[in-house]
Amino acid sequence: MKKRVIRSPFFCVNPKAYLYGEKALKMAKKADELAEKYDIDIFFTVQYVDVYRIAKETSRLIITVQHMDSLTVGPGMGYILPEGLVEAGVQATFLNHAEHPVSINQLVTIMKRAEELGISVIACADSIAEAQAIATLKPDVMVCEPTELIGTGKVSDLTYMEETNQAVKSVSPNTFVLQAAGISTVKDVRKAIKSGADGTGGTSGIVCAADPIQTLEEMVEEVVKVRAELKE
Amino acid sequence: MKKRVIRSPFFCVNPKAYLYGEKALKMAKKADELAEKYDIDIFFTVQYVDVYRIAKETSRLIITVQHMDSLTVGPGMGYILPEGLVEAGVQATFLNHAEHPVSINQLVTIMKRAEELGISVIACADSIAEAQAIATLKPDVMVCEPTELIGTGKVSDLTYMEETNQAVKSVSPNTFVLQAAGISTVKDVRKAIKSGADGTGGTSGIVCAADPIQTLEEMVEEVVKVRAELKE
Amino acid sequence: MKKRVIRSPFFCVNPKAYLYGEKALKMAKKADELAEKYDIDIFFTVQYVDVYRIAKETSRLIITVQHMDSLTVGPGMGYILPEGLVEAGVQATFLNHAEHPVSINQLVTIMKRAEELGISVIACADSIAEAQAIATLKPDVMVCEPTELIGTGKVSDLTYMEETNQAVKSVSPNTFVLQAAGISTVKDVRKAIKSGADGTGGTSGIVCAADPIQTLEEMVEEVVKVRAELKE
Amino acid sequence: MKKRVIRSPFFCVNPKAYLYGEKALKMAKKADELAEKYDIDIFFTVQYVDVYRIAKETSRLIITVQHMDSLTVGPGMGYILPEGLVEAGVQATFLNHAEHPVSINQLVTIMKRAEELGISVIACADSIAEAQAIATLKPDVMVCEPTELIGTGKVSDLTYMEETNQAVKSVSPNTFVLQAAGISTVKDVRKAIKSGADGTGGTSGIVCAADPIQTLEEMVEEVVKVRAELKE
């Protein structure tokens, strides 16, 4: 499979384990519609069991899993086979999220498997030191979230965003940076993209909002607005 | 969801990570046809991404995953949400396979989640001591495979099978015992059921056979034959 | 090595990683003096690096580590070799503490190594279900602490203590039960032993007390008092 | 504690879990004598329980543990407290050995603890990609061993050694490189140092030799010889 080309600025909807089945599908369809309408790339993370169905019922989303293993075809019970993901419709995977850390050796091995199969990698780091270490592996996208902000609704400050964007780009200029810690308002979305990040998005900021679908729409539209301003 | 009632003797097709996508679906359809034809319960393990599709295209199989986590709806990146499994069509899960061991505390917690959601548990043990410890938790099915035989095509000897059947039943009389280590011929299938086990099945004995589909058919038919003999 | 015979009621000082070096040695000497004075068995847990020194400078304590691995003599980097422990003076080990869970397979394997080498095992469980599963392995001592009480200074209620004592003894009559969750006063000590437990002790209740040495002394003396009362 | 200054070329005796107690002490004393005689820095890895005793009975060795945790003073059962190591005499630690991998986040955190306490870090990598990622964290020493050679007695080829030396130095010029995979003869020792490595050493090449003490002596003397040649 050829790896999909990602265009900046992009958006990322990461429902973690908040959504599954019908509800995940419903939000995915909305995100797909927005991706179409605004010609924007949207990563949408899903439970593994929902990959096939969501891939079938959407056309523009980058179907993304929240972790994958380096398992190869053969034995291995209950791990995530990359070949299986691809056949079901996966195009990207998160790796090394603070809630799912991997050893460095595993990260290198899984990234090699992703490369072989054309799966884009969104690698996560908890600190600037970790971000720079991982950036040497040239992932497609990097997230650098201070662990203490995850799920809090507190956004990283602008200085932190600029520093991490810079830290990653200085090591791997072609890696995109996703700033998504604590994003819960359109103002946060604007701030993230304005910081120089290539993408933004969220989890609880969207799925725990009073109206998740509307929040998603407003956030994506804000990215589109900032995109237009940056082109001027 | 109400937990599905399992009837002894049953069969278990466990393709691990040997099969996925179309190939897994093809074998699942054959197994489903056999389950129908012979009115026999068949556990069929799948990659998570294949659950939905295989559940949609079969009607009699017990769609089984190879591991699940105790994750609840909310945060958690890249773990297996039981609610998501159920909505997609899962009815059973393996736990604590030698290739995916869990801590005792996790096992207790995951089994509680399975109970809540009506998911049958096939718990694995590596030794008689471990089997008796786990049997106290009253899983629906237990597998007791000497780790050194997994994937070898060498079957446990009859004495070992009888001892483990007995060890499990003495602690938890209602737990079914699955004898599946190294099963690769119809003779092995017969031996397993004759040992007093409630079920048998295999991985490499089926998927690595010259003709996997035919091997599956012959093995299931052998279980059916022994079932008839035992009724006489 | 022959396994040391433990006598009920015993006491357990578990400084976890609160104490090390000189400070651990000082408390160990006090505990040793109390063990001598009152002819009582006292488990004293230490950092691995402190084993040799504390073993050399005490004579009655049961030098206890907080975990050990099943590693055998040979390769293996940074794991705990049981033979090394024994030569340095270790007589007992905790296993499967909520802060250091192990898989069931590992627990069985480590306990086999302990048995070979004459190391007593204090196995921990988080719930009654887990306690009964582990009790089938017949550890020397079992601890059954509701995880949510560890380090809180809240003691398990009497009913919980009685239930867990009973749950363990019903499966393995010769296993001693240690009730140590949240013990911080002599009243807690009395309650634990009165519940039918074979031992009690603590971590933060001792090391975080205003005067840890005096608290240790008072707690041990309380066990001795209850011991006398029970003999009457 | 101030971190000890390491001088190149150095030697590393890594008995893993092959030696403990008296036998480890005996070899440590010999290594200490050689360190003195030839004024050379020698890392000597030990079981945790042997730290105190070996530190007391040697004066020149760099007492090294095979892993440490990031644990801080407080709760935590059965993990390695860095403060305890230092008080007992530890001056260095291996981290992320192929037999004890850590997550990237843990590596960053443990290295911060080591820095605070003046403990030198010998970080391991399995591949050039992994080596470069870790080199960004500027460990004191790096080992880059192709996992498949560990314990085989097959040495890395010269090209691999030169490439890894270069890969590490290009990212972190002040990090020393240790080439120790499969070193079992004085010829291997010479080759490693000649490749441009700052140090060499071994495990099975020494402890499994017909005469381990003599092998150690010959290897150290070979480093000393090459050192003299390089000075000319």
Side-chain angles (χ1 to χ4, degrees), chain A residues 134-212:
Chain A
I134 296 175
T136 65
L137 304 173
K138 308 203 181 315
D140 301 285
V141 180
M142 276 212 68
V143 191
C144 187
E145 301 191 356
T147 313
E148 61 277 17
L149 295 188
I150 296 175
T152 58
K154 279 186 210 148
V155 73
S156 307
D157 68 27
L158 192 62
T159 311
Y160 180 86
M161 285 187 185
E162 287 169 351
E163 260 176 38
T164 51
N165 294 339
Q166 176 54 26
V168 170
K169 303 276 187 187
S170 69
V171 175
S172 177
N174 295 323
T175 294
F176 283 143
V177 180
L178 166 59
Q179 294 285 358
I183 301 290
S184 58
T185 66
V186 294
K187 223 174 124 187
D188 297 337
V189 164
R190 169 167 293 270
K191 186 173 153 194
I193 301 296
K194 286 281 194 178
S195 80
D198 299 290
T200 189
T203 297
S204 51
I206 300 170
V207 300
C208 304
D211 185 337

Side-chain angles (χ1 to χ4, degrees), chain C residues 52 56 87, chain D residues 13 15 18-33 44-47 49-59 61 63 213 216:
Chain C
Y52 181 78
K56 280 282 171 250
E87 188 171 326
Chain D
V13 190
Y18 283 99
L19 302 182
Y20 60 91
E22 282 297 335
K23 284 187 183 168
L25 180 61
K26 192 181 156 200
M27 183 163 284
K29 281 179 167 173
K30 180 64 186 183
D32 194 49
E33 186 192 307
F44 192 95
T45 81
V46 297
Q47 286 287 309
V49 284
D50 294 324
V51 165
Y52 181 79
R53 191 176 177 194
I54 291 180
K56 279 283 171 249
E57 304 207 24
T58 61
S59 59
L61 290 184
I63 307 294
I213 294 284
L216 167 64

Side-chain angles (χ1 to χ4, degrees), chain A residues 96 101-108 112 124 126-127 129-130 132-134 136-137 147 171, chain D residues 96 101-108 112 124 126-127 129-130 132-134 136-137 147 171:
Chain A
N96 196 46
V102 295
S103 75
I104 307 161
N105 176 259
Q106 280 179 299
L107 183 63
V108 169
K112 201 179 288 177
C124 305
D126 277 5
S127 61
E130 194 181 340
Q132 289 199 296
I134 296 175
T136 65
L137 304 173
T147 313
V171 175
Chain D
N96 196 45
V102 295
S103 74
I104 307 162
N105 175 260
Q106 279 180 299
L107 184 62
V108 169
K112 202 180 287 177
C124 304
D126 277 5
S127 61
E130 194 181 339
Q132 288 199 298
I134 296 176
T136 64
L137 304 173
T147 312
V171 175

Side-chain angles (χ1 to χ4, degrees), chain D residues 215-227:
Chain D
T215 301
L216 167 64
E217 183 158 19
E218 288 169 4
M219 285 186 175
V220 171
E221 288 174 347
E222 191 69 13
V223 175
V224 171
K225 254 188 253 174
V226 181
R227 177 176 70 180

Side-chain angles (χ1 to χ4, degrees), chain A residues 66-117:
Chain A
Q66 299 170 17
H67 169 77
M68 79 175 204
D69 296 307
S70 62
L71 192 68
T72 51
V73 174
M77 279 293 280
Y79 295 99
I80 306 303
L81 179 70
E83 279 82 355
L85 295 182
V86 170
E87 188 170 328
V90 167
Q91 296 185 316
T93 186
F94 268 80
L95 288 178
N96 196 46
H97 190 277
E99 292 164 5
H100 208 136
V102 295
S103 75
I104 307 161
N105 176 259
Q106 280 179 299
L107 183 63
V108 169
T109 310
I110 302 172
M111 284 182 68
K112 201 179 288 177
R113 296 282 283 128
E115 197 61 34
E116 283 166 22
L117 293 165

